[in-house]
């Protein structure tokens, strides 16, 4: 009986044309607690709830780790992450440095020019006190 009711096989073998549009909202609203949550049909809400509570561990379940062990673990994880980094070559590093220095110099010139211009404009509008 379960073999004849596989996904995609109906009892009357009624198939829709490939370009047909189907509205599944009516079926989704009528789900009960025992029906599968996912489209695959393997997980139920109760099973998902049971698995999520089984996987949790409280502090009582695990042994408390000492301060130095946590610091050592932190440094091991930092080293592991740094090994994953794709480091630039010397040529790329010099190119990136030149781009950054050039950009900062251009922005510095723009800000300095605007500062000088606004300072002159404020002195012109309000007059020179000296």
């Amino acid at each position: 009986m379960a073999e004849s009711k596989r996904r995609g096989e109906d009892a009357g073998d009624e198939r829709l044309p490939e370009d047909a549009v189907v509205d599944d909202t009516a079926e989704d609203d009528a789900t009960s607690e025992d029906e599968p949550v996912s489209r695959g049909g393997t997980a139920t809400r109760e099973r998902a709830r049971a698995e999520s509570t089984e996987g949790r561990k409280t502090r009582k379940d695990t042994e408390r780790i000492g301060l130095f062990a946590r610091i050592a673990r932190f440094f091991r994880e930092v080293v592991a992450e740094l090994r994953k980094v794709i480091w630039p070559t010397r040529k790329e590093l010099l190119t990136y440095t030149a781009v950054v220095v050039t950009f900062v110099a251009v922005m510095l010139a723009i800000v300095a020019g605007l500062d000088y211009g606004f300072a002159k404009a404020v002195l012109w509008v309000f007059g020179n006190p000296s």
Side-chain angles (χ1 to χ4, degrees):
M1 180 89 174
E3 294 292 322
S4 65
K5 293 280 186 172
R6 286 189 182 161
R7 183 181 166 132
E9 296 179 8
D10 293 334
D13 199 28
E14 298 170 337
R15 300 197 180 220
L16 293 173
E18 290 181 13
D19 57 346
V21 177
V22 179
D23 187 13
D24 292 350
T25 56
E27 292 177 8
D28 291 342
D29 294 338
T31 58
S32 68
E33 286 293 321
D34 295 331
E35 288 188 26
V37 176
S38 67
R39 292 279 182 204
T42 57
T44 62
R45 287 189 176 110
E46 291 179 17
R47 185 184 302 168
R49 224 179 280 132
E51 288 175 358
S52 67
T53 57
E54 289 174 3
R56 293 187 191 151
K57 291 186 178 181
T58 60
R59 243 182 218 181
K60 296 175 186 175
D61 295 343
T62 60
E63 183 180 312
R64 186 170 168 100
I65 300 172
L67 176 66
F68 292 111
R70 285 185 283 169
I71 292 172
R73 178 178 163 197
F74 171 76
F75 282 112
R76 279 195 309 268
E77 290 177 3
V78 166
V79 169
E81 288 297 320
L82 286 175
R83 286 187 180 140
K84 295 177 188 177
V85 172
I86 299 173
W87 295 98
T89 63
R90 187 172 210 54
K91 184 179 178 182
E92 290 173 336
L93 185 65
L94 292 174
T95 303
Y96 297 155
T97 304
V99 167
V100 168
V101 169
T102 304
F103 177 76
V104 169
V106 168
M107 293 305 294
L108 180 95
I110 290 171
V111 170
L114 288 172
D115 182 47
Y116 181 76
F118 284 128
K120 287 294 184 182
V122 166
L123 288 176
W124 180 76
V125 169
F126 294 111
N128 197 354
S130 52

